[in-house]
Amino acid sequence: MAAGKPVQDDPKAPCRLYLITPPALEVKAFSEELKAALDAGDVACVQLRLKDVTDDHIMRTADALMPIVQRAGAAFILNDRPDLAQALGADGVHVGQDDTPYAEARRIMGPSAIVGVTCHDSRHLAMEAGEAGADYVAFGAFFPTTTKDPRARAPFELVTWWSEMMTVPQVAIGGITVENCRPLVEAGADFLAVSAGIWQHPEGPAAAVKGFNAIFGS
């Protein structure tokens, strides 16, 4: 995907990968892992998600990683912070229910940027976000995850319902791996957001990207 809105213009388009960075990373080493992952197959987006660090740390990390992501044709998205995303010139921002409200994030980012919203397992929150203009809604967690403490466990039926009823793209997140992702793909997820399932794959990030894309194309 070229850097820009993560939309599926074709409702029959295959599912795509949405990578999320590890909770902590060393920029130089991770840059090489990221390049390997992006070179291995189709990746729509990469979200930089760093918690409990300074704004300066986020900015320096983003400055190093964003060019790698955008050169690969993927969108660079920052977690939580539309103010920093706008200052960086990032392609978009992802906000949770306890973060900057969607309307404020959109005002800061402007009309052409990507703004995605976490909706947990809630049809109501997702419909509100979609009607407000969110570029995608994110549902999860679908599986146990060690990356963050999920607020809810979402059912596969939610993915099917959204894909049949709504046109706003949906992102499935939470404990997704090459081994367990097929039911979400078959249910109609537009994107799979994956962190540990990529960076902790026993054969490395490139093998994980190839594995996901093989399932998407099957």
Side-chain angles (χ1 to χ4, degrees):
M1 178 183 104
K5 302 265 188 185
V7 295
Q8 299 283 37
D9 296 324
D10 180 357
K12 296 182 180 179
C15 188
R16 302 183 70 195
L17 267 178
Y18 180 132
L19 303 189
I20 299 178
T21 62
L25 58 88
E26 193 283 313
V27 172
K28 186 174 181 180
F30 180 71
S31 293
E32 296 307 311
E33 290 188 323
L34 180 59
K35 290 174 185 176
L38 292 169
D39 286 344
D42 178 61
V43 173
C45 313
V46 177
Q47 181 192 129
L48 177 61
R49 184 167 73 190
L50 297 174
K51 299 290 187 180
D52 303 318
V53 298
T54 65
D55 289 3
D56 181 65
H57 183 84
I58 294 172
M59 296 288 277
R60 285 187 287 106
T61 304
D63 280 338
L65 300 183
M66 185 163 64
I68 297 171
V69 172
Q70 292 177 335
R71 278 197 299 269
F76 185 83
I77 296 175
L78 190 63
N79 183 250
D80 288 355
R81 297 291 300 274
D83 55 336
L84 298 186
Q86 195 278 332
L88 283 162
D91 297 300
V93 69
H94 179 88
V95 293
Q97 292 297 319
D98 298 325
D99 302 322
T100 307
Y102 167 78
E104 178 66 7
R106 173 62 71 196
R107 184 192 68 78
I108 294 169
M109 294 297 296
S112 62
I114 300 163
V115 181
V117 180
T118 292
C119 298
H120 303 296
D121 62 344
S122 172
R123 299 184 184 198
H124 174 70
L125 290 175
M127 292 177 72
E128 281 190 335
E131 289 169 1
D135 294 296
Y136 67 82
V137 298
F139 294 121
F142 288 94
F143 303 101
T145 173
T146 58
T147 304
K148 63 184 294 187
D149 186 20
R151 181 178 298 184
R153 285 292 294 274
F156 294 162
E157 291 78 11
L158 177 59
V159 175
T160 303
W161 171 78
W162 187 267
S163 70
E164 292 174 349
M165 299 294 293
M166 306 297 175
T167 58
V168 176
Q170 60 174 313
V171 176
I173 188 171
I176 299 170
T177 66
V178 173
E179 290 73 26
N180 66 19
C181 72
R182 190 175 292 276
L184 289 169
V185 176
E186 294 175 348
D190 297 299
F191 301 89
L192 299 186
V194 187
S195 183
I198 294 289
W199 313 117
Q200 296 179 20
H201 190 279
E203 297 177 21
V209 170
K210 289 177 182 177
F212 277 108
N213 276 294
I215 291 171
F216 298 161
S218 64

